Amino acid sequence: AGLNKRTTSKRLAEAFSKFGQVIEARVITDRISGYSRGFGFVKYATVQEAGEAIKGMDGKFLDDWVIFAEHAKQREAPQPPQQATP
């Protein structure tokens, strides 16, 4: 379970602001439909504030939906295709 499809970036910022200074909060939306994809990102002023938010919000309800809060994982760069050797 991720974010409720009706959760907005503003609502995400409001919910997470009780744990520290939110620099940015963004719900990720589908490029074509504009609807939420069910997840988002919150950026804090400090790593400590982010840690407190994760502890405070993980498994809690936001907009009648149980959410999971965790540190963002960096995406790995796509690897070039391997060429077969004859």
Side-chain angles (χ1 to χ4, degrees), residues 27-45:
V27 171
I28 305 304
T29 56
D30 181 81
R31 291 181 204 190
I32 296 169
S33 70
Y35 291 113
S36 168
R37 292 186 58 201
F39 67 97
F41 297 94
V42 179
K43 183 177 181 180
Y44 282 93

Side-chain angles (χ1 to χ4, degrees), residues 2-75:
L3 293 176
N4 185 317
K5 298 287 186 182
R6 295 175 301 199
T7 300
T8 63
S9 294
K10 182 179 177 183
R11 176 71 181 112
L12 189 64
E14 288 171 356
F16 278 79
S17 66
K18 60 185 166 188
F19 299 99
Q21 181 185 355
V22 173
I23 303 298
E24 179 184 12
R26 185 167 49 115
V27 171
I28 305 304
T29 56
D30 181 81
R31 291 181 204 190
I32 296 169
S33 70
Y35 291 113
S36 168
R37 292 186 58 201
F39 67 97
F41 297 94
V42 179
K43 183 177 181 180
Y44 282 93
T46 68
V47 174
Q48 290 79 16
E49 291 171 340
E52 289 300 315
I54 289 169
K55 284 193 279 185
M57 292 297 287
D58 189 42
K60 301 294 191 279
F61 281 90
L62 176 61
D63 295 335
D64 300 321
W65 207 263
V66 175
I67 65 167
F68 296 100
E70 60 188 19
H71 286 284
K73 295 170 182 62
Q74 185 147 6
R75 277 205 231 178

